[in-house]
Coordinates of all heavy atoms in Angstrom, one line a residue:
M16 N 99.5 93.1 0.1 CA 100.5 93.2 1.2 C 101.9 92.9 0.7 O 102.9 93.4 1.3 CB 100.2 92.2 2.3 CG 99.2 92.7 3.3 SD 99.8 94.1 4.2 CE 98.4 94.7 4.9
A17 N 102.1 92.1 -0.3 CA 103.4 91.7 -0.8 C 104.2 93.0 -1.3 O 105.3 93.2 -1.0 CB 103.3 90.7 -1.9
D18 N 103.5 93.9 -2.0 CA 104.1 95.1 -2.5 C 104.5 96.0 -1.3 O 105.6 96.6 -1.3 CB 103.2 95.9 -3.4 CG 103.0 95.1 -4.7 OD1 103.8 94.3 -5.1 OD2 102.0 95.5 -5.4
I19 N 103.6 96.1 -0.3 CA 103.9 96.9 0.9 C 105.1 96.4 1.6 O 106.0 97.1 2.0 CB 102.7 97.1 1.8 CG1 101.7 98.0 1.1 CG2 103.1 97.6 3.1 CD1 100.4 98.1 1.7
Y20 N 105.1 95.0 1.8 CA 106.2 94.4 2.5 C 107.6 94.7 1.8 O 108.6 95.0 2.4 CB 106.0 92.9 2.6 CG 107.1 92.2 3.3 CD1 107.4 92.4 4.6 CD2 107.9 91.2 2.6 CE1 108.5 91.7 5.2 CE2 108.9 90.6 3.2 CZ 109.2 90.8 4.5 OH 110.3 90.1 5.1
E21 N 107.6 94.5 0.5 CA 108.8 94.7 -0.3 C 109.3 96.1 -0.2 O 110.5 96.4 -0.1 CB 108.6 94.2 -1.7 CG 108.5 92.7 -1.9 CD 109.7 92.0 -1.4 OE1 110.9 92.4 -1.6 OE2 109.5 90.9 -0.8
T22 N 108.3 97.1 -0.2 CA 108.7 98.5 -0.1 C 109.3 98.9 1.3 O 110.2 99.7 1.3 CB 107.4 99.3 -0.3 OG1 106.9 99.0 -1.6 CG2 107.7 100.8 -0.2
Y23 N 108.8 98.3 2.3 CA 109.2 98.8 3.7 C 110.0 97.8 4.5 O 110.3 98.1 5.7 CB 107.9 99.2 4.5 CG 107.2 100.4 3.8 CD1 106.0 100.2 3.1 CD2 107.7 101.7 3.9 CE1 105.3 101.2 2.5 CE2 107.1 102.7 3.3 CZ 105.9 102.5 2.6 OH 105.2 103.6 2.0
K24 N 110.2 96.6 4.1 CA 110.9 95.6 4.9 C 112.3 96.1 5.3 O 112.7 95.8 6.5 CB 111.0 94.3 4.2 CG 111.9 94.2 3.0 CD 111.9 92.9 2.4 CE 112.9 92.8 1.2 NZ 112.9 91.5 0.6
D25 N 113.0 96.8 4.5 CA 114.3 97.3 4.9 C 114.3 98.4 5.9 O 115.3 98.8 6.5 CB 115.1 97.8 3.7 CG 115.5 96.6 2.8 OD1 115.5 95.5 3.2 OD2 115.7 96.8 1.6
E26 N 113.1 99.0 6.2 CA 112.9 100.0 7.2 C 112.3 99.4 8.5 O 112.0 100.2 9.4 CB 111.9 101.1 6.7 CG 112.4 101.9 5.5 CD 111.5 103.0 5.1 OE1 111.1 103.8 6.0 OE2 111.1 103.0 3.9
G27 N 112.2 98.1 8.5 CA 111.8 97.5 9.8 C 110.4 96.9 9.8 O 110.0 96.3 10.8
L28 N 109.7 97.0 8.7 CA 108.3 96.4 8.6 C 108.4 94.9 8.6 O 109.2 94.3 7.9 CB 107.6 96.8 7.4 CG 106.2 96.3 7.2 CD1 105.3 96.8 8.3 CD2 105.6 96.6 5.8
I29 N 107.7 94.3 9.5 CA 107.5 92.8 9.5 C 106.1 92.5 9.3 O 105.2 93.0 10.0 CB 108.0 92.3 10.9 CG1 109.5 92.6 11.1 CG2 107.8 90.8 11.0 CD1 109.9 92.3 12.5
I30 N 105.8 91.6 8.4 CA 104.4 91.1 8.1 C 104.5 89.6 8.3 O 105.4 88.9 7.9 CB 104.0 91.5 6.7 CG1 103.8 93.0 6.5 CG2 102.7 90.8 6.4 CD1 103.4 93.4 5.1
V31 N 103.5 89.2 9.1 CA 103.3 87.7 9.3 C 101.9 87.4 8.9 O 100.9 88.0 9.5 CB 103.6 87.3 10.7 CG1 103.4 85.8 10.9 CG2 105.0 87.7 11.1
T32 N 101.7 86.4 8.0 CA 100.3 85.9 7.7 C 100.0 84.7 8.6 O 100.8 83.8 8.7 CB 100.2 85.5 6.3 OG1 100.3 86.7 5.5 CG2 98.8 84.9 6.0
L33 N 98.9 84.8 9.3 CA 98.5 83.7 10.2 C 97.3 82.9 9.5 O 96.3 83.6 9.2 CB 98.0 84.2 11.5 CG 99.0 85.0 12.3 CD1 98.3 85.6 13.5 CD2 100.2 84.2 12.7
L34 N 97.5 81.6 9.3 CA 96.4 80.8 8.8 C 95.8 80.0 10.0 O 96.5 79.3 10.7 CB 96.8 79.9 7.7 CG 97.2 80.5 6.4 CD1 97.6 79.4 5.4 CD2 96.2 81.4 5.9
V35 N 94.5 80.2 10.3 CA 93.9 79.5 11.5 C 93.3 78.2 11.0 O 93.1 77.3 11.9 CB 92.9 80.4 12.2 CG1 93.6 81.6 12.8 CG2 91.8 80.9 11.3
E36 N 92.9 78.1 9.8 CA 92.3 76.9 9.3 C 92.3 76.9 7.8 O 92.5 77.9 7.1 CB 90.9 76.7 9.8 CG 89.9 77.8 9.4 CD 88.6 77.6 10.1 OE1 88.5 77.1 11.2 OE2 87.6 78.1 9.5
T37 N 92.2 75.7 7.2 CA 92.1 75.6 5.7 C 90.6 75.9 5.3 O 89.7 76.1 6.2 CB 92.4 74.2 5.3 OG1 91.4 73.3 5.8 CG2 93.8 73.8 5.7
L38 N 90.4 76.0 4.0 CA 89.0 76.2 3.5 C 88.1 75.1 4.0 O 86.9 75.3 4.2 CB 89.0 76.3 2.0 CG 89.7 77.5 1.4 CD1 89.7 77.5 -0.1 CD2 89.0 78.8 1.9
G39 N 88.6 73.9 4.3 CA 87.8 72.8 4.8 C 87.7 72.8 6.3 O 87.0 71.9 6.8
G40 N 88.3 73.8 7.0 CA 88.1 73.9 8.4 C 89.2 73.1 9.2 O 89.1 72.9 10.4
D41 N 90.2 72.6 8.5 CA 91.2 71.8 9.1 C 92.4 72.6 9.6 O 92.6 73.7 9.1 CB 91.7 70.7 8.2 CG 90.6 69.7 7.8 OD1 89.8 69.3 8.6 OD2 90.6 69.4 6.6
T42 N 93.2 72.1 10.5 CA 94.5 72.8 10.9 C 95.4 72.8 9.7 O 95.6 71.8 9.1 CB 95.1 72.0 12.0 OG1 94.2 72.0 13.2 CG2 96.5 72.6 12.4
P43 N 95.9 74.0 9.4 CA 96.8 74.1 8.2 C 98.1 73.3 8.4 O 98.7 73.3 9.5 CB 97.2 75.6 8.1 CG 96.1 76.3 8.9 CD 95.7 75.3 9.9
T44 N 98.5 72.5 7.4 CA 99.8 71.8 7.4 C 100.8 72.7 6.7 O 100.5 73.7 6.2 CB 99.6 70.5 6.6 OG1 99.4 70.8 5.2 CG2 98.5 69.6 7.2
V45 N 102.1 72.2 6.8 CA 103.1 72.9 6.1 C 102.8 73.0 4.6 O 103.1 74.0 4.0 CB 104.5 72.2 6.4 CG1 105.6 72.8 5.5 CG2 104.9 72.4 7.8
D46 N 102.3 71.9 4.0 CA 101.9 71.9 2.6 C 100.9 73.0 2.4 O 100.9 73.7 1.3 CB 101.4 70.6 2.2 CG 102.6 69.6 2.1 OD1 103.7 70.0 1.9 OD2 102.3 68.3 2.1
D47 N 99.9 73.1 3.3 CA 98.8 74.1 3.1 C 99.4 75.5 3.1 O 99.1 76.4 2.3 CB 97.8 74.0 4.2 CG 97.0 72.8 4.1 OD1 96.7 72.3 3.0 OD2 96.6 72.3 5.2
L48 N 100.4 75.8 4.0 CA 101.0 77.1 4.1 C 101.8 77.4 2.8 O 101.8 78.5 2.3 CB 102.0 77.1 5.3 CG 101.4 76.9 6.7 CD1 102.4 76.9 7.8 CD2 100.3 77.9 7.0
N49 N 102.5 76.4 2.3 CA 103.3 76.6 1.1 C 102.4 76.8 -0.1 O 102.7 77.6 -1.0 CB 104.1 75.3 0.8 CG 105.3 75.3 1.8 OD1 105.8 76.3 2.2 ND2 105.8 74.1 2.1
V50 N 101.2 76.2 -0.2 CA 100.2 76.5 -1.2 C 99.8 77.9 -1.2 O 99.7 78.6 -2.2 CB 99.0 75.5 -1.2 CG1 97.9 76.0 -2.0 CG2 99.4 74.1 -1.6
W51 N 99.5 78.4 0.1 CA 99.1 79.8 0.3 C 100.2 80.7 -0.2 O 99.9 81.7 -0.9 CB 98.8 80.0 1.8 CG 98.1 81.3 2.1 CD1 98.7 82.5 2.4 CD2 96.7 81.5 2.1 NE1 97.7 83.4 2.6 CE2 96.5 82.9 2.5 CE3 95.6 80.7 1.9 CZ2 95.2 83.4 2.6 CZ3 94.3 81.3 2.0 CH2 94.2 82.6 2.4
V52 N 101.4 80.5 0.1 CA 102.5 81.3 -0.3 C 102.6 81.3 -1.8 O 102.8 82.4 -2.4 CB 103.9 80.8 0.3 CG1 105.1 81.4 -0.4 CG2 103.9 81.0 1.8
D53 N 102.5 80.2 -2.4 CA 102.6 80.1 -3.9 C 101.4 80.8 -4.6 O 101.6 81.5 -5.5 CB 102.7 78.7 -4.4 CG 104.0 78.0 -4.0 OD1 105.0 78.7 -3.6 OD2 104.0 76.7 -3.9
E54 N 100.2 80.5 -4.1 CA 99.0 81.1 -4.7 C 99.0 82.6 -4.7 O 98.6 83.2 -5.6 CB 97.8 80.5 -3.9 CG 96.5 81.1 -4.4 CD 96.0 80.5 -5.8 OE1 96.5 79.4 -6.1 OE2 95.2 81.1 -6.4
Y55 N 99.4 83.2 -3.6 CA 99.3 84.6 -3.4 C 100.7 85.3 -3.5 O 100.8 86.5 -3.3 CB 98.7 85.0 -2.1 CG 97.3 84.5 -2.0 CD1 96.9 83.4 -1.3 CD2 96.3 85.2 -2.7 CE1 95.6 82.9 -1.3 CE2 95.0 84.8 -2.7 CZ 94.6 83.6 -2.0 OH 93.3 83.2 -2.0
E56 N 101.7 84.6 -4.0 CA 103.1 85.1 -4.2 C 103.6 85.9 -3.0 O 104.0 87.0 -3.1 CB 103.1 85.9 -5.5 CG 102.7 85.1 -6.7 CD 102.7 85.9 -8.0 OE1 102.8 87.2 -7.9 OE2 102.5 85.3 -9.0
I57 N 103.5 85.3 -1.8 CA 103.8 85.9 -0.6 C 105.3 85.8 -0.3 O 105.9 84.7 -0.5 CB 103.0 85.3 0.6 CG1 101.6 85.7 0.4 CG2 103.5 85.8 1.9 CD1 100.6 85.0 1.4
T58 N 106.0 86.9 0.1 CA 107.4 86.8 0.3 C 107.7 87.0 1.8 O 108.9 87.0 2.2 CB 108.1 87.9 -0.5 OG1 107.6 89.2 -0.1 CG2 108.0 87.7 -2.0
H59 N 106.7 87.2 2.6 CA 106.9 87.3 4.1 C 106.4 86.0 4.8 O 105.8 85.1 4.1 CB 106.1 88.5 4.7 CG 104.6 88.4 4.4 ND1 104.0 89.0 3.3 CD2 103.6 87.8 5.1 CE1 102.7 88.7 3.3 NE2 102.4 88.0 4.4
P60 N 106.7 85.8 6.0 CA 106.4 84.5 6.7 C 104.9 84.2 6.8 O 104.1 85.1 7.0 CB 107.0 84.7 8.1 CG 108.0 85.8 8.0 CD 107.5 86.7 6.9
V61 N 104.6 83.0 6.6 CA 103.2 82.5 6.7 C 103.2 81.3 7.7 O 104.0 80.4 7.5 CB 102.6 82.0 5.4 CG1 101.2 81.4 5.6 CG2 102.6 83.1 4.3
V62 N 102.5 81.5 8.8 CA 102.5 80.5 9.9 C 101.1 80.0 10.2 O 100.1 80.7 10.0 CB 103.2 81.0 11.1 CG1 104.7 81.3 10.8 CG2 102.6 82.2 11.7
S63 N 101.0 78.9 10.9 CA 99.7 78.3 11.3 C 99.4 78.8 12.7 O 100.3 78.8 13.6 CB 99.8 76.8 11.3 OG 98.6 76.2 11.7
D64 N 98.2 79.2 12.9 CA 97.7 79.6 14.3 C 96.4 78.8 14.6 O 95.3 79.4 14.7 CB 97.5 81.1 14.3 CG 97.1 81.6 15.7 OD1 97.4 80.9 16.7 OD2 96.5 82.7 15.8
P65 N 96.4 77.5 14.6 CA 95.2 76.7 14.7 C 94.4 76.9 16.0 O 93.2 76.7 16.0 CB 95.7 75.3 14.6 CG 97.1 75.3 15.1 CD 97.6 76.6 14.6
E66 N 95.0 77.3 17.0 CA 94.3 77.6 18.3 C 93.8 79.0 18.4 O 93.2 79.4 19.4 CB 95.2 77.2 19.5 CG 95.7 75.8 19.5 CD 94.6 74.8 19.6 OE1 93.6 75.1 20.3 OE2 94.7 73.8 18.9
W67 N 94.1 79.8 17.3 CA 93.7 81.2 17.3 C 94.4 82.1 18.4 O 94.0 83.2 18.7 CB 92.2 81.4 17.4 CG 91.4 80.9 16.3 CD1 91.2 79.6 15.9 CD2 90.6 81.7 15.4 NE1 90.3 79.5 14.9 CE2 90.0 80.8 14.5 CE3 90.4 83.1 15.2 CZ2 89.2 81.2 13.4 CZ3 89.6 83.5 14.2 CH2 89.0 82.6 13.3
S68 N 95.4 81.5 19.0 CA 96.0 82.2 20.2 C 96.6 83.6 19.8 O 96.5 84.5 20.6 CB 97.1 81.3 20.8 OG 98.1 80.9 19.9
V69 N 97.3 83.7 18.7 CA 97.9 85.0 18.3 C 96.8 85.9 17.8 O 96.7 87.1 18.2 CB 98.9 84.8 17.2 CG1 99.5 86.1 16.7 CG2 100.1 83.9 17.7
V70 N 95.8 85.4 17.0 CA 94.7 86.2 16.5 C 94.0 86.8 17.7 O 93.7 88.0 17.7 CB 93.8 85.4 15.6 CG1 92.5 86.2 15.3 CG2 94.5 85.0 14.3
E71 N 93.6 86.0 18.7 CA 92.9 86.4 19.8 C 93.6 87.4 20.7 O 93.0 88.3 21.3 CB 92.4 85.2 20.6 CG 91.3 84.5 19.9 CD 90.9 83.2 20.7 OE1 91.6 82.8 21.6 OE2 89.9 82.6 20.3
R72 N 94.9 87.3 20.7 CA 95.7 88.2 21.5 C 95.7 89.7 21.0 O 95.7 90.6 21.7 CB 97.2 87.7 21.6 CG 98.1 88.6 22.4 CD 99.5 88.1 22.5 NE 100.3 89.0 23.3 CZ 101.5 88.8 23.6 NH1 102.1 87.7 23.1 NH2 102.2 89.7 24.3
Y73 N 95.6 89.8 19.7 CA 95.6 91.1 19.1 C 94.3 91.5 18.5 O 94.2 92.5 17.7 CB 96.7 91.2 18.0 CG 98.1 91.0 18.6 CD1 98.8 89.7 18.5 CD2 98.7 92.0 19.3 CE1 100.0 89.6 19.1 CE2 99.9 91.8 19.9 CZ 100.6 90.6 19.8 OH 101.8 90.4 20.4
S74 N 93.2 90.9 18.9 CA 91.9 91.2 18.4 C 91.0 91.7 19.5 O 91.1 91.2 20.6 CB 91.3 90.0 17.7 OG 89.9 90.3 17.4
P75 N 90.2 92.7 19.2 CA 89.3 93.2 20.3 C 88.2 92.3 20.6 O 87.4 92.5 21.5 CB 88.8 94.6 19.7 CG 88.9 94.4 18.2 CD 90.1 93.5 18.0
R76 N 88.0 91.3 19.8 CA 86.9 90.3 20.0 C 87.5 88.9 19.8 O 88.5 88.8 19.2 CB 85.7 90.6 19.2 CG 86.0 90.6 17.7 CD 84.8 91.1 16.9 NE 85.0 91.1 15.5 CZ 85.6 92.1 14.8 NH1 86.1 93.1 15.4 NH2 85.7 92.0 13.5
D77 N 86.8 87.9 20.3 CA 87.4 86.6 20.3 C 87.7 86.0 18.9 O 88.8 85.5 18.7 CB 86.4 85.6 21.0 CG 86.4 85.8 22.5 OD1 87.4 86.4 23.0 OD2 85.5 85.4 23.2
R78 N 86.8 86.1 18.0 CA 87.0 85.6 16.7 C 86.6 86.6 15.7 O 85.4 86.7 15.3 CB 86.2 84.3 16.5 CG 86.6 83.1 17.4 CD 87.9 82.5 17.0 NE 88.4 81.6 18.0 CZ 88.4 80.3 18.0 NH1 87.8 79.6 17.0 NH2 89.0 79.6 19.0
P79 N 87.6 87.4 15.2 CA 87.2 88.4 14.2 C 86.9 87.8 12.9 O 87.2 86.7 12.6 CB 88.5 89.2 14.1 CG 89.6 88.2 14.4 CD 89.0 87.3 15.5
A80 N 86.2 88.6 12.1 CA 86.0 88.2 10.7 C 87.3 88.2 10.0 O 88.2 89.0 10.2 CB 85.0 89.2 10.0
L81 N 87.5 87.2 9.1 CA 88.8 87.1 8.4 C 88.5 87.3 6.9 O 87.5 87.0 6.4 CB 89.3 85.7 8.6 CG 89.6 85.3 10.1 CD1 90.1 83.9 10.2 CD2 90.7 86.2 10.7
P82 N 89.5 87.8 6.2 CA 90.8 88.3 6.7 C 90.7 89.6 7.4 O 89.8 90.4 7.2 CB 91.6 88.4 5.4 CG 90.6 88.8 4.4 CD 89.3 88.1 4.8
T83 N 91.7 89.8 8.3 CA 91.8 91.0 9.0 C 93.2 91.4 9.2 O 94.1 90.5 9.0 CB 91.1 90.9 10.4 OG1 91.0 92.2 11.0 CG2 91.8 89.9 11.3
H84 N 93.5 92.6 9.5 CA 94.9 93.0 9.7 C 95.0 93.7 11.1 O 94.1 94.3 11.6 CB 95.3 94.1 8.7 CG 95.2 93.5 7.3 ND1 94.2 93.9 6.4 CD2 96.0 92.7 6.6 CE1 94.4 93.3 5.3 NE2 95.5 92.5 5.4
S85 N 96.2 93.6 11.7 CA 96.5 94.3 12.9 C 97.8 95.0 12.6 O 98.7 94.5 11.9 CB 96.7 93.4 14.1 OG 95.4 92.8 14.4
L86 N 98.0 96.2 13.2 CA 99.3 96.9 13.1 C 99.8 97.1 14.5 O 99.1 97.7 15.3 CB 99.0 98.3 12.4 CG 100.3 99.1 12.2 CD1 101.3 98.4 11.3 CD2 99.9 100.5 11.5
I87 N 101.0 96.6 14.7 CA 101.6 96.7 16.0 C 103.0 97.4 15.8 O 103.8 97.0 15.0 CB 101.8 95.3 16.6 CG1 100.5 94.5 16.6 CG2 102.5 95.4 18.0 CD1 100.6 93.1 16.8
K88 N 103.1 98.5 16.5 CA 104.4 99.3 16.3 C 105.4 98.8 17.3 O 105.1 98.0 18.2 CB 104.1 100.8 16.5 CG 103.8 101.3 17.8 CD 103.6 102.8 17.7 CE 103.8 103.5 19.0 NZ 103.7 104.9 18.9
P89 N 106.7 99.2 17.1 CA 107.7 98.8 18.0 C 107.3 99.1 19.5 O 106.7 100.1 19.8 CB 108.9 99.7 17.6 CG 108.7 99.9 16.2 CD 107.2 100.0 16.0
G90 N 107.7 98.2 20.4 CA 107.2 98.2 21.8 C 105.9 97.5 22.0 O 105.4 97.5 23.1
M91 N 105.4 96.8 21.0 CA 104.2 96.0 21.0 C 103.0 96.8 21.3 O 102.0 96.2 21.8 CB 104.4 94.8 22.0 CG 105.5 93.9 21.7 SD 105.5 93.2 20.0 CE 104.1 92.1 20.1
E92 N 102.9 98.0 20.9 CA 101.7 98.8 21.1 C 100.8 98.6 19.9 O 101.2 98.7 18.7 CB 102.1 100.3 21.1 CG 100.8 101.2 21.3 CD 101.2 102.7 21.2 OE1 102.3 103.0 21.6 OE2 100.3 103.5 20.9
I93 N 99.6 98.2 20.1 CA 98.6 97.9 19.1 C 98.1 99.2 18.5 O 97.5 100.0 19.3 CB 97.5 97.0 19.6 CG1 98.1 95.7 20.0 CG2 96.4 96.8 18.5 CD1 97.1 94.8 20.7
V94 N 98.3 99.5 17.2 CA 97.8 100.7 16.6 C 96.4 100.4 15.9 O 95.5 101.2 16.0 CB 98.8 101.2 15.6 CG1 98.3 102.4 14.8 CG2 100.1 101.5 16.2
V95 N 96.3 99.3 15.2 CA 95.1 98.8 14.6 C 94.9 97.4 15.1 O 95.8 96.6 14.9 CB 95.1 98.9 13.1 CG1 93.9 98.3 12.5 CG2 95.4 100.3 12.6
A96 N 93.7 97.1 15.6 CA 93.4 95.7 16.0 C 92.3 95.2 15.2 O 91.2 95.7 15.2 CB 93.1 95.7 17.5
A97 N 92.5 94.1 14.5 CA 91.5 93.5 13.7 C 90.7 94.5 12.8 O 89.5 94.6 12.9 CB 90.6 92.7 14.6
G98 N 91.4 95.1 11.9 CA 90.8 96.1 11.0 C 91.6 96.1 9.7 O 92.2 95.2 9.3
Q99 N 91.5 97.2 9.0 CA 92.3 97.4 7.8 C 93.4 98.4 8.1 O 93.3 99.3 8.8 CB 91.4 98.0 6.7 CG 90.2 97.1 6.3 CD 90.8 95.8 5.7 OE1 91.7 95.8 4.9 NE2 90.2 94.7 6.2
V100 N 94.6 98.0 7.5 CA 95.8 98.8 7.7 C 96.2 99.4 6.3 O 96.3 98.6 5.3 CB 96.9 97.9 8.2 CG1 98.2 98.7 8.3 CG2 96.6 97.3 9.6
N101 N 96.4 100.7 6.3 CA 96.8 101.3 5.0 C 98.2 101.7 5.1 O 98.9 101.7 6.1 CB 95.8 102.5 4.6 CG 95.9 103.6 5.7 OD1 96.9 103.8 6.3 ND2 94.8 104.2 5.9
E102 N 98.7 102.1 3.9 CA 100.2 102.4 3.8 C 100.5 103.6 4.7 O 101.6 103.7 5.3 CB 100.5 102.7 2.4 CG 102.0 102.6 2.1 CD 102.3 102.5 0.6 OE1 101.4 102.3 -0.2 OE2 103.5 102.7 0.3
A103 N 99.7 104.6 4.8 CA 99.9 105.8 5.6 C 100.1 105.4 7.1 O 101.0 105.9 7.8 CB 98.8 106.8 5.5
A104 N 99.3 104.5 7.6 CA 99.4 104.0 9.0 C 100.7 103.3 9.2 O 101.4 103.4 10.2 CB 98.2 103.1 9.3
I105 N 101.1 102.5 8.2 CA 102.4 101.8 8.3 C 103.6 102.8 8.3 O 104.4 102.7 9.2 CB 102.6 100.8 7.1 CG1 101.6 99.6 7.3 CG2 104.0 100.3 7.0 CD1 101.4 98.8 6.0
E106 N 103.5 103.7 7.5 CA 104.6 104.7 7.4 C 104.7 105.5 8.8 O 105.8 105.8 9.2 CB 104.4 105.7 6.3 CG 104.7 105.1 4.9 CD 104.5 106.1 3.8 OE1 103.9 107.2 4.0 OE2 104.8 105.7 2.7
A107 N 103.6 105.7 9.4 CA 103.6 106.5 10.6 C 104.2 105.8 11.8 O 104.7 106.4 12.7 CB 102.1 106.8 11.0
V108 N 104.3 104.5 11.7 CA 104.9 103.7 12.9 C 106.3 103.1 12.6 O 106.9 102.6 13.5 CB 104.0 102.6 13.4 CG1 102.6 103.1 13.8 CG2 103.8 101.5 12.3
L109 N 106.8 103.3 11.4 CA 108.1 102.8 11.1 C 109.2 103.6 11.8 O 109.1 104.8 11.9 CB 108.4 102.9 9.6 CG 107.6 101.9 8.7 CD1 107.9 102.2 7.2 CD2 108.1 100.5 9.0
P110 N 110.1 102.8 12.4 CA 111.2 103.5 13.1 C 111.9 104.5 12.2 O 112.1 104.2 11.0 CB 112.2 102.3 13.4 CG 111.3 101.1 13.4 CD 110.3 101.4 12.3
G111 N 112.3 105.6 12.7 CA 113.0 106.6 12.0 C 112.2 107.5 11.1 O 112.7 108.3 10.3
R112 N 110.9 107.4 11.1 CA 110.0 108.3 10.3 C 109.5 109.4 11.1 O 109.2 109.3 12.3 CB 108.9 107.5 9.7 CG 109.5 106.6 8.6 CD 108.5 106.6 7.5 NE 109.1 105.9 6.3 CZ 108.8 106.1 5.1 NH1 107.8 106.9 4.8 NH2 109.4 105.5 4.1

């Protein structure tokens, strides 16, 4: 995702990684989020979603298998909910394409 983000961020792509829990099942702390950023060399925002509220809002089922991706185009229309997002799908929803 980091490569895709760097390629399309200037065209309006926003990627947010949500961590719902640590490997131990705990609520992610700021330190946990920073470890994730460093480990995977992430350049987009990484935030905690311990109540699964954001994940559940954009998922067709209560608790999807993780990791998962959703693609939401401008206007908050869900294009892909809890699935895999490829580069062609991203290009199709970018403003001005």
Side-chain angles (χ1 to χ4, degrees):
M16 275 295 165
D18 291 341
I19 289 174
Y20 177 66
E21 290 301 319
T22 300
Y23 297 106
K24 69 180 183 181
D25 292 337
E26 293 183 56
L28 178 66
I29 299 170
I30 294 177
V31 178
T32 294
L33 303 172
L34 293 182
V35 295
E36 59 188 28
T37 65
L38 292 176
D41 300 317
T42 298
T44 65
V45 171
D46 288 338
D47 294 325
L48 300 176
N49 288 329
V50 166
W51 191 269
V52 166
D53 292 342
E54 179 73 22
Y55 295 101
E56 299 177 352
I57 295 174
T58 58
H59 59 268
V61 177
V62 298
S63 178
D64 186 22
E66 302 297 322
W67 293 69
S68 58
V69 177
V70 171
E71 288 176 348
R72 180 174 181 183
Y73 296 104
S74 174
R76 53 190 185 278
D77 288 340
R78 298 281 166 105
L81 300 175
T83 190
H84 300 105
S85 296
L86 180 60
I87 304 164
K88 72 181 204 176
M91 300 305 291
E92 180 184 336
I93 298 172
V94 178
V95 176
Q99 294 298 313
V100 175
N101 62 34
E102 197 165 350
I105 291 169
E106 288 179 349
V108 300
L109 286 173
R112 287 218 172 207

